[in-house]
Amino acid sequence: MRPVLYLATQNKHKVEELSALLKHNFDIRDLSTLSLTEEIPETGKTLAENSLLKARYIAEKFQVICLADDSGLEVEALGGAPGVYSARYAGEPKDDLANLQLLLTNLSGISNRRARFVTVLTYYANNTYSSFEGEIQGNIVEAPRGTQGFGYDPVFQPEYETRTFAEMSLAEKNLIAHRARALEKFINYLDETQKCADE
Ligand code: IMP
């Protein structure tokens, strides 16, 4: 029987994406099947801290196995901002377009456009955890291009590409994106752990 794995996210797209990729290893559940009434704390100063906070909170509160993720955009010339504050860079309520415009304003006149998207996945089971980081390096373009995706996709051009993420299909983006790379590391870890258990 596959173990039950809870995903610490309310985002339906992430649940679908992760369920498809992890269904051979786990019986995947989202948080709607737990009686969670409060917000999961996200008070960390880094993506890694927030990812761990979320995974630990759910795993310890409900005594379950949990996978949490936290992602963001880090821009070199802005000292790593918006980073952990990516979702609400321009303030409340969360507004993807305002975030992207503020980013372009803060970068106007700056020639160093280097940036990276990062995802940290944390797997928390039996009071221990493992974290997996995936990243994609790229540049922030001068003006938004493309209509696919979400968030900062229209201004992020991955290195070695001529298109922004928003000019790629979801399948093309997923081949190289931060979330997919973190997930690949997690799946390799599961395979290795399984191999050791079988020996
Ligand atoms: P989350 O932790 O995956 O919810 O990501 C936090 C925020 O980072 C999002 O609200 C977006 O602003 C930004 N972000 C993360 N991943 C991406 C991406 O793949 N494309 C564009 N923006 C992203």
Side-chain angles (χ1 to χ4, degrees):
M1 214 172 71
R2 291 164 306 156
V4 175
L5 175 71
Y6 284 87
L7 300 178
T9 180
Q10 316 275 8
N11 180 325
K12 288 254 175 295
H13 294 291
K14 282 189 196 168
V15 175
E16 272 170 28
E17 182 187 314
L18 291 169
S19 301
L21 292 161
L22 296 172
K23 64 177 181 226
H24 299 297
N25 303 84
F26 296 103
D27 177 1
I28 303 281
R29 310 260 170 94
D30 67 22
L31 295 180
S32 62
T33 54
L34 298 173
S35 49
L36 184 74
T37 46
E38 67 281 15
E39 292 257 309
I40 307 173
E42 280 197 56
T43 50
K45 295 221 162 26
T46 63
L47 297 170
E49 271 175 40
N50 267 346
S51 178
L52 174 57
L53 270 176
K54 290 190 271 190
R56 176 180 280 147
Y57 187 81
I58 297 297
E60 290 186 350
K61 185 173 169 86
F62 297 100
Q63 293 299 305
V64 294
I65 299 176
C66 181
L67 183 71
D69 79 320
D70 208 31
S71 305
L73 176 70
E74 295 180 351
V75 179
E76 194 172 277
L78 300 177
V84 74
Y85 306 109
S86 293
R88 289 171 179 78
Y89 191 39
E92 297 281 359
K94 183 178 157 194
D95 181 341
D96 278 359
L97 194 59
N99 289 340
L100 178 158
Q101 277 160 353
L102 178 62
L103 180 71
L104 289 180
T105 304
N106 290 345
L107 278 177
S108 67
I110 297 178
S111 58
N112 175 6
R113 317 287 294 191
R114 288 195 59 78
R116 65 171 196 153
F117 270 123
V118 193
T119 292
V120 181
L121 282 176
T122 303
Y123 175 64
Y124 201 102
N126 309 316
N127 298 318
T128 54
Y129 69 92
S130 301
S131 293
F132 309 89
E133 183 182 296
E135 68 155 19
I136 169 90
Q137 297 275 353
N139 286 287
I140 303 300
V141 297
E142 296 285 338
R145 298 198 315 258
T147 54
Q148 309 290 310
F150 71 102
Y152 300 92
D153 281 346
V155 293
F156 184 83
Q157 183 171 307
E159 63 181 355
Y160 314 121
E161 293 284 342
T162 53
R163 294 172 299 168
T164 65
F165 264 165
E167 293 175 300
M168 298 179 182
S169 68
L170 184 61
E172 285 173 311
K173 177 183 166 186
N174 275 344
L175 280 179
I176 55 173
H178 45 307
R179 231 179 313 280
R181 287 179 173 173
L183 196 59
E184 196 180 309
K185 286 188 185 170
F186 176 50
I187 291 171
N188 286 342
Y189 162 86
L190 291 173
D191 289 346
E192 286 302 314
T193 318
Q194 190 55 47
K195 252 189 244 155
C196 291
D198 291 344
E199 276 167 15

